[in-house]
Amino acid sequence: MTSEWTQFIELLHREVVPALGCTEPIAIALAAAKAAETLGATPESIEANISGNLLKNGMGVGVPGTGQRGLDIAAAVGALGGKSEAMLEVLKDLSPQHVEQANAMLKAGKVHIDVANTDALLYCEIIVKNGDDTARVVLQDEHTGIVHVEKNGQVLEHVDTHREDAGHQAEWPLSMRKIVEFAETAPFSEISFILEAARMNEAVAKEGLLGDYGLQVGKTIEKNIKKHILGDDLLNEAVKLTSAAADARMHGVQMPVMSNSGSGNQGLTCTMPVVACAHRLKVSEERLTRALILSHLTSIHIKHNLGRLSALCGATVAGTASACGIVYLLGGSFDQVVMTINNMVGSIAGMICDGAKNGCALKVASAVDSGLRAAMLALEGHTITGREGIVSDDIEQTIQNLGRLGAEGMRETDRVILDTMVSKKR
């Protein structure tokens, strides 16, 4: 293993991790759990000051174990029943008693959620109090990125996010050519861990088909396949399984998913289309592993240029990535992987993110559907060219163009989305 390949594996272990529930309310629950643990007593009140993007992505999604939606319940159950050492699975040991206590706090008006005055896209400050004691925790930039912990004004932990060397990080190691080479040739024993993503996410997909979760996008596709309205083919199988998993997750199912780049839906969308294709083709476990590595690393690479939260829907990134994995399963080349990305960037790149909610399952379905079609075109040698739109003849430039669109070009779009959402009664 080269040192560069070791970096790739470290990236995967850092960015592809289990998450229970939508990662925005879970980030708030994590900060609240850490604050309560620091306080050393049951909080009598909770105050949360959060960034607008965190609010956008958390206000309409189910919180696991509660049967409820919203950031106030997420903060309350995090403080009362969360375990910070579990990170994105902070609520895995939540009990009905914790939920009952949390609802009592909400009813008594002891939980307050406000929008923080910050430029950070992902920011959460939690302040908990019991009598004369106060604890404060700040989480920033990453869903598990706790950067400040204090009790009664005494700083216990602090990470300086504004230090001079913060912008001088190591050179980004990934490129599409390196990703494809790694996925195709890395020792199987070193990358087989990614199969846990297939196991975990497929379990949630099956649950989504069994229960009445969210919009029931996946379940409805399955019903129409049985009625012979839709075909029982690879495309519909991939869309069905992925959207069913998103249905369950957005509803708040008490099951973890394997996330990607801080997003559970991105993790599902990187994984399930590839798994569906592998099942249909009856490929070996090793070939599935390599396709999943290609998919997850591609999503990490593209998302790196966009940032954790943006006005662009992350499902389109993950749908692009899984389509690349499917190209590999179908015997495609590096050039056809590039064509697939260009086809996706030139088609549904502008899908907006208007927060985590049941409707995300429909966006996931659209991304997976488009990804399969982009891959089919690429395998036939058809591609959107560098003369069209934001696509470039250089694949790395295409990815950077997409990142610029989301990070810079859609700032006003993001502001309008946020204004529209926060003006509604919550």
Side-chain angles (χ1 to χ4, degrees), residues 104-125:
M105 286 191 75
L106 266 59
K107 186 176 181 180
K110 298 296 185 181
V111 182
H112 299 280
I113 307 289
D114 289 308
V115 178
N117 182 20
T118 178
D119 292 329
L121 296 179
L122 203 167
Y123 177 89
C124 173
E125 176 193 43

Side-chain angles (χ1 to χ4, degrees), residues 101-417:
Q101 293 167 3
N103 281 316
M105 286 191 75
L106 266 59
K107 186 176 181 180
K110 298 296 185 181
V111 182
H112 299 280
I113 307 289
D114 289 308
V115 178
N117 182 20
T118 178
D119 292 329
L121 296 179
L122 203 167
Y123 177 89
C124 173
E125 176 193 43
I126 297 286
I127 300 171
V128 294
K129 296 180 180 179
N130 180 295
D132 295 331
D133 292 323
T134 300
R136 175 175 174 264
V137 167
V138 176
L139 180 149
Q140 184 173 323
D141 297 333
E142 297 185 2
H143 293 84
T144 57
I146 292 175
V147 298
H148 185 89
V149 180
E150 66 178 69
K151 181 177 181 180
N152 295 330
Q154 180 181 357
V155 177
L156 304 178
E157 300 175 30
H158 182 75
V159 176
D160 186 3
T161 58
H162 301 289
R163 65 189 188 277
E164 290 185 5
D165 64 342
H168 301 287
Q169 299 176 352
E171 182 179 351
W172 182 244
L174 296 180
S175 70
M176 285 312 304
R177 188 168 291 279
K178 290 178 180 179
I179 289 170
V180 172
E181 179 185 3
F182 175 75
E184 289 180 338
T185 59
F188 174 56
S189 61
E190 298 292 334
I191 59 175
S192 59
F193 62 86
I194 202 69
L195 289 172
E196 179 63 10
R199 185 203 65 77
M200 186 177 289
N201 290 351
E202 189 169 10
V204 177
K206 289 179 178 178
E207 176 63 25
L209 293 173
L210 290 173
D212 295 332
Y213 294 105
L215 286 179
Q216 300 182 43
V217 178
K219 197 169 186 177
T220 300
I221 292 171
E222 184 175 62
K223 287 179 180 178
N224 282 282
I225 290 173
K226 290 178 179 178
K227 293 177 182 177
H228 304 291
I229 295 173
L230 294 175
D232 185 12
D233 54 27
L234 170 58
L235 190 151
N236 286 325
E237 179 75 3
V239 175
K240 177 187 76 175
L241 287 175
T242 315
S243 56
D247 283 325
R249 180 173 177 269
M250 292 293 94
H251 191 85
V253 68
Q254 191 76 3
M255 295 174 69
V257 305
M258 194 67 81
S259 65
N260 181 294
S261 302
S263 167
N265 279 353
Q266 285 172 217
L268 293 173
T269 309
C270 285
T271 305
M272 290 315 302
V274 178
V275 170
C277 184
H279 287 343
R280 287 287 173 132
L281 297 176
K282 296 181 170 57
V283 303
S284 68
E285 194 173 72
E286 179 174 344
R287 195 157 181 81
L288 169 60
T289 295
R290 296 189 184 282
L292 287 171
I293 289 291
L294 173 54
S295 177
H296 279 276
L297 275 178
T298 298
S299 186
I300 292 168
H301 182 42
I302 298 175
K303 192 64 177 175
H304 172 73
N305 289 273
L306 274 171
R308 292 283 172 178
L309 299 176
S310 77
L312 287 181
C313 176
T316 63
V317 172
T320 301
S322 60
C324 293
I326 288 171
V327 167
Y328 169 79
L329 287 178
L330 293 172
S333 65
F334 169 76
D335 287 341
Q336 289 166 324
V337 166
V338 169
M339 291 178 187
T340 299
I341 297 173
N342 285 341
N343 288 341
M344 285 293 278
V345 172
S347 57
I348 64 167
M351 186 188 293
I352 64 166
C353 172
D354 56 345
K357 58 199 178 304
N358 287 335
C360 288
L362 272 174
K363 295 190 178 186
V364 164
S366 296
V368 175
D369 184 285
S370 294
L372 265 291
R373 297 182 192 281
M376 296 303 105
L377 285 170
L379 288 165
E380 292 297 323
H382 304 309
T383 183
I384 293 174
T385 70
R387 297 185 299 277
E388 303 171 63
I390 65 170
V391 173
S392 171
D393 289 327
D394 177 358
I395 186 58
E396 298 307 322
Q397 186 61 55
T398 296
I399 291 171
Q400 289 175 29
N401 292 346
L402 178 64
R404 185 183 175 205
L405 172 67
E408 298 178 30
M410 297 186 73
R411 285 175 182 165
E412 182 64 14
T413 300
D414 207 25
R415 187 192 67 78
V416 172
I417 293 170

